[in-house]
Amino acid sequence: MAKVDPFLVGLQHISSNLSRPELEEMKFLCKTKIGKKKLNEIQQGIELFSCLMQQNLLSPSDTAFLISMLQSLKREDLIQDLANYIENKPGPVEQLDPQVEAQLEVAFETLCDNVGQDWKRLARKLGISQVDIDRIIYAYPRDLKEQFYQSLLLWKKASDKEANVSTIQKALRDCRLNLAADILAEKLEAMLL
């Protein structure tokens, strides 16, 4: 059975993780490399990457141009993901325990409904950088709940198997978001009944 090229899988992964504004910024950075008509036709990152490959500006051995674009977007996470795919390590395969996964899903929903404007303070307490927070805000303008949800997903991905609700509860208490912590504790207790 033929194996899929990890480099192409990495490009597809990057494409699926780009917001619409980020794609537009990348297209702008390619104005001197790709014609205006072709750029206007591009609707997805993967289409842009195909054009760059046709122009010999992107290959498994030459990712400099793509990396420079991702750096201008402050998407260090995608640069690391690309490096992992090129080295044929598509990331952790192990999943969280299903019970922990279910608890985190309840926690995320509860927090998105009860934290509000303080989400950035909580995200920083969980270890999310200001650059990532700004990127999320830019990608999801005017949608506070989605901004917070995306920051929680980023924390979960970065924490890997260390992600759990007790870390969230401690961060809530540290930020003096006691009402949200109490509501979360009640919902988690109800799960166990």
Side-chain angles (χ1 to χ4, degrees):
M1 186 163 92
K3 188 178 177 187
V4 177
D5 183 348
F7 175 66
L8 297 178
V9 174
L11 293 179
Q12 192 279 328
H13 170 78
I14 290 171
S15 176
S16 65
N17 281 283
L18 290 172
S19 67
R20 185 78 199 155
E22 288 172 331
L23 176 60
E24 291 303 317
E25 285 184 47
M26 291 180 85
K27 286 167 57 175
F28 177 78
L29 295 171
C30 292
K31 279 189 180 246
T32 60
K33 313 287 184 193
I34 301 172
K36 184 178 180 180
K37 182 180 179 192
K38 187 68 177 167
L39 280 175
N40 287 337
E41 294 172 357
I42 292 173
Q43 299 297 314
Q44 295 181 354
I46 204 73
E47 296 169 7
L48 179 63
F49 303 151
S50 291
C51 286
L52 292 174
M53 290 170 78
Q54 290 169 1
Q55 300 284 337
N56 293 321
L57 294 167
L58 180 61
S59 69
S61 59
D62 183 11
T63 58
F65 186 65
L66 175 58
I67 288 173
S68 69
M69 287 193 297
L70 292 172
Q71 285 172 332
S72 75
L73 297 175
K74 297 179 174 47
R75 291 301 306 265
E76 302 299 325
D77 58 323
L78 294 181
I79 294 170
Q80 184 58 52
D81 289 349
L82 178 62
N84 288 341
Y85 278 101
I86 290 173
E87 294 169 16
N88 206 10
K89 299 186 290 189
V93 179
E94 295 180 43
Q95 295 287 323
L96 288 172
D97 179 279
Q99 183 179 358
V100 173
E101 192 75 52
Q103 289 174 340
L104 285 174
E105 192 59 39
V106 167
F108 289 5
E109 289 175 20
T110 303
L111 293 178
C112 288
D113 289 339
N114 294 287
V115 172
Q117 294 289 338
D118 290 323
W119 78 266
K120 290 178 257 185
R121 186 166 40 120
L122 180 61
R124 283 190 291 273
K125 187 58 109 174
L126 288 170
I128 298 170
S129 72
Q130 187 62 47
V131 170
D132 284 331
I133 290 171
D134 292 342
R135 181 186 55 75
I136 290 168
I137 291 170
Y138 183 77
Y140 301 95
R142 298 183 217 83
D143 192 346
L144 191 69
K145 283 187 178 183
E146 188 60 28
Q147 291 170 0
F148 188 31
Y149 187 75
Q150 291 298 320
S151 72
L152 291 170
L153 288 177
L154 183 63
W155 165 77
K156 179 179 156 188
K157 181 180 176 185
S159 299
D160 199 20
K161 293 188 290 184
E162 305 299 315
N164 58 54
V165 290
S166 61
T167 304
I168 293 173
Q169 288 174 315
K170 181 182 182 327
L172 284 167
R173 300 283 183 202
D174 289 348
C175 291
R176 300 185 191 277
L177 297 170
N178 293 319
L179 179 59
D182 293 341
I183 292 170
L184 177 57
E186 286 174 19
K187 290 204 175 186
L188 292 172
E189 200 173 299
M191 280 181 72
L192 299 174
L193 299 177

